[in-house]
């Protein structure tokens, strides 16, 4: 199993000592990652005084099918070049299932492609992906058995489960919400997630993946589900946030988004 964020080949100064630039590569129909991540980092800023700005590149994706997901992967390098033009400190490849559709462990190669594209553009940056962040975060918190909520059709949810299990974990239960249109996924009500999570076989789990998708809104439910079930709760968005903070060498200090981002679930987020 791989560990850690793929680091940039060279260190770059930030635009200002109290500010960091975060690059995102997102599906064209994504309406969630650019709302949940800025909100999480707003809370981090409120606690620490450090500022974060976001700079995005988009790759075409409308329907969450394997064919469209693989077509999106082909655009990753071009998106990395475009977003690196903003001289970002870290790039997050924010489409979990596009990476996972390539097979177990694919995040390693995807992150390397993005890293090389940014470096080749003369703008090296640290790189993470939502797929890699999810499995590495599960390892960081010591979870072996997980229960999962995903918005996908059942075949894609099975593929995500196989990817997670290929990284050395056991998916003890999963729920498929069976929404194929990616824009519709972004309109799902996170208020429904506590009841959905309650119905999982969570007694067998070490952690809950409340949203195995960067497009499915979940931020407003993370703390409530964690408080109710008494288990660590992570999502594609919170795991990505955790690794972005790691890449920047910043200790998590985010409120009301679960213990992972409060900084109390992992003893120390290593400086990269």
């Amino acid at each position: 199993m791989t560990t850690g964020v793929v680091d940039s080949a060279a260190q770059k100064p930030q635009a200002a000592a109290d500010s960091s630039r975060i690059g995102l590569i997102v599906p064209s129909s994504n309406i969630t990652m650019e709302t949940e991540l800025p909100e999480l980092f707003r809370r981090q800023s409120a606690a620490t005084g450090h500022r974060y700005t976001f700079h995005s590149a988009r790759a075409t994706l409308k329907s969450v099918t394997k064919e469209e997901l693989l077509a999106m992967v082909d655009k990753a390098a071009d998106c990395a070049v475009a977003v690196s033009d903003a001289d970002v400190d870290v790039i997050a490849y924010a489409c979990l299932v596009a990476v996972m559709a390539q097979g177990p462990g694919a995040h390693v190669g995807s992150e390397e492609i993005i890293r090389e594209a940014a470096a080749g553009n003369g703008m090296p940056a640290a790189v993470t992906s939502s797929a890699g962040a999810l499995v590495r975060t599960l390892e960081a918190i010591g979870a072996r058995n997980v229960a999962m909520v995903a918005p996908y059709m059942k075949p894609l949810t099975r593929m995500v489960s196989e990817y997670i299990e290929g990284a050395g974990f056991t998916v003890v239960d999963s729920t498929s919400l069976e929404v194929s249109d990616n824009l519709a996924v972004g309109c799902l009500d996170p208020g429904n997630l506590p009841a959905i999570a309650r119905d999982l076989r969570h007694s067998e789990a070490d952690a809950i993946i409340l949203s195995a998708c960067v497009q499915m809104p979940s931020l407003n439910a993370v703390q409530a589900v964690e408080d109710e079930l008494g288990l660590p709760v992570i999502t594609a968005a919170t795991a990505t946030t955790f690794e972005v903070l790691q890449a920047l060498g910043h200790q998590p200090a985010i409120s009301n988004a679960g213990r992972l981002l409060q900084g109390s679930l992992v003893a120390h987020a290593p400086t990269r």
Side-chain angles (χ1 to χ4, degrees):
M1 186 184 303
T2 60
T3 59
V5 180
V6 179
D7 288 324
S8 60
Q11 293 294 319
K12 293 193 290 85
Q14 295 177 345
D18 64 347
S19 178
S20 299
R21 295 185 187 133
I22 300 169
L24 295 176
I25 300 173
V26 297
S28 58
S29 53
N30 190 285
I31 57 174
T32 302
M33 207 61 167
E34 292 157 310
T35 57
E36 289 199 345
L37 256 67
E39 171 57 23
L40 287 166
F41 280 91
R42 182 196 65 76
R43 299 179 196 179
Q44 177 80 7
S45 294
T48 66
H50 193 86
R51 295 192 311 112
Y52 303 88
T53 60
F54 290 84
H55 313 275
S56 299
R58 312 185 82 77
T60 301
L61 179 75
K62 293 183 179 179
S63 296
V64 191
T65 64
K66 191 166 186 177
E67 293 73 23
E68 285 203 35
L69 291 168
L70 291 174
M72 179 186 166
V73 167
D74 292 337
K75 302 177 178 70
D78 289 342
C79 287
V81 170
V83 78
S84 71
D85 281 344
D87 194 14
V88 295
D89 300 293
V90 58
I91 298 172
Y93 185 21
C95 188
L96 177 142
V97 75
V99 173
M100 291 187 175
Q102 301 170 75
H107 59 275
V108 177
S110 293
E111 290 167 354
E112 184 65 13
I113 287 169
I114 292 167
R115 185 197 67 78
E116 290 180 354
N121 192 39
M123 295 289 187
V127 174
T128 187
S129 66
S130 295
L134 188 68
V135 296
R136 288 188 293 255
T137 298
L138 288 174
E139 182 177 23
I141 67 176
R144 306 314 306 170
N145 301 312
V146 299
M148 178 179 76
V149 181
Y152 314 119
M153 305 301 286
K154 288 180 180 178
L156 275 181
T157 299
R158 283 195 299 273
M159 182 196 71
V160 172
S161 294
E162 289 166 2
Y163 193 98
I164 292 169
E165 293 193 328
F169 307 96
T170 299
V171 179
V172 298
D173 197 18
S174 65
T175 294
S176 299
L177 302 185
E178 298 199 84
V179 181
S180 61
D181 182 88
N182 201 44
L183 195 59
V185 170
C187 296
L188 292 171
D189 184 358
N192 294 328
L193 286 173
I196 293 169
R198 199 176 298 130
D199 286 341
L200 291 168
R201 292 199 306 273
H202 53 80
S203 63
E204 303 174 29
D206 303 316
I208 303 291
I209 302 172
L210 192 60
S211 176
C213 176
V214 295
Q215 172 74 325
M216 187 170 79
S218 58
L219 177 55
N220 291 342
V222 170
Q223 192 67 56
V225 173
E226 188 168 282
D227 290 346
E228 178 181 346
L229 300 185
L231 292 169
V233 173
I234 66 171
T235 72
T238 62
T240 302
T241 297
F242 180 68
E243 283 219 335
V244 169
L245 288 169
Q246 282 187 303
L248 294 170
H250 299 172
Q251 190 68 17
I254 296 171
S255 63
N256 200 34
R259 285 175 285 163
L260 174 70
L261 295 183
Q262 288 171 352
S264 61
L265 194 53
V266 178
H268 177 65
T271 300
R272 301 286 170 192

